[in-house]
Amino acid sequence: ALRPVSSPPSTPPPPPRRPSTVPPRPGASAARPSTTSSPRPPAPPRPSARVIPAVEGKLNGYALRVPTVTGSFVDFTFQLKNPATLEQIKEKMAAAASPSFGYTEDQMVSCDIIGDTHGCIFDAASCMAMTPTFVKLTTFYDNEYGYTNQLVRFIGLIASKL
């Protein structure tokens, strides 16, 4: 004879998994890592000092991956040897504009740089002078497209020297 099968006791479903394996801090957002920004403090100074030894100990800043698929933002904060106005600095940066170094006075947001071919774009609207010798300059760049185009320019430079 068949006996009735008793059903197992009902258990509540497990809680939904967070996208991150790190538990949130109390009061912190549970946003996905791909939609948040995270500063990486000494990212630019070390490589900059390797390429331009004269800036060793005179330059500080950080880069952070902005909440776009391929964008980054760099904040350079440094002490000038000689006093300068922000307008003088912007004039020099505008004069230096090239395929590798873009310049804009437009208000930028991180997605504006997606697909841009410049190595970086100087964001004049976000720069500030705390004193005549202490300034903060900001740039945006596309981690993939801008970087790839910068490599192509570099290869062209090397090829022109051969």
Side-chain angles (χ1 to χ4, degrees):
L2 296 174
R3 292 183 290 163
V5 177
S6 62
S7 23
S10 134
T11 57
R17 292 181 52 106
R18 287 184 31 81
S20 171
T21 58
V22 178
R25 297 181 320 276
S29 168
R32 296 183 74 91
S34 63
T35 60
T36 61
S37 298
S38 176
R40 301 286 182 227
R46 279 189 256 149
S48 298
R50 281 188 214 132
V51 175
I52 310 167
V55 302
E56 181 73 43
K58 300 176 184 175
L59 174 71
N60 197 359
Y62 64 90
L64 65 110
R65 184 89 184 209
V66 293
T68 62
V69 177
T70 65
S72 284
F73 168 84
V74 179
D75 171 306
F76 288 105
T77 306
F78 55 94
Q79 194 81 33
L80 298 173
K81 188 173 185 177
N82 300 310
T85 67
L86 197 52
E87 288 310 312
Q88 290 171 320
I89 293 168
K90 289 179 182 181
E91 286 172 15
K92 294 281 187 185
M93 294 299 195
S98 69
S100 293
F101 183 76
Y103 178 92
T104 185
E105 291 188 1
D106 296 338
Q107 294 289 325
M108 291 186 70
V109 294
S110 56
C111 64
D112 291 340
I113 52 89
I114 295 174
D116 191 89
T117 60
H118 292 94
C120 73
I121 301 173
F122 179 78
D123 182 9
S126 296
C127 298
M128 61 180 103
M130 280 65 82
T131 71
T133 58
F134 189 58
V135 296
K136 176 180 181 159
L137 307 179
T138 57
T139 64
F140 283 92
Y141 61 94
D142 182 315
N143 292 322
E144 295 169 8
Y145 202 69
Y147 176 76
T148 302
N149 278 275
Q150 195 70 353
L151 282 177
V152 169
R153 287 187 286 270
F154 181 67
I155 291 168
L157 175 68
I158 298 298
S160 73
K161 305 291 181 185
L162 298 177

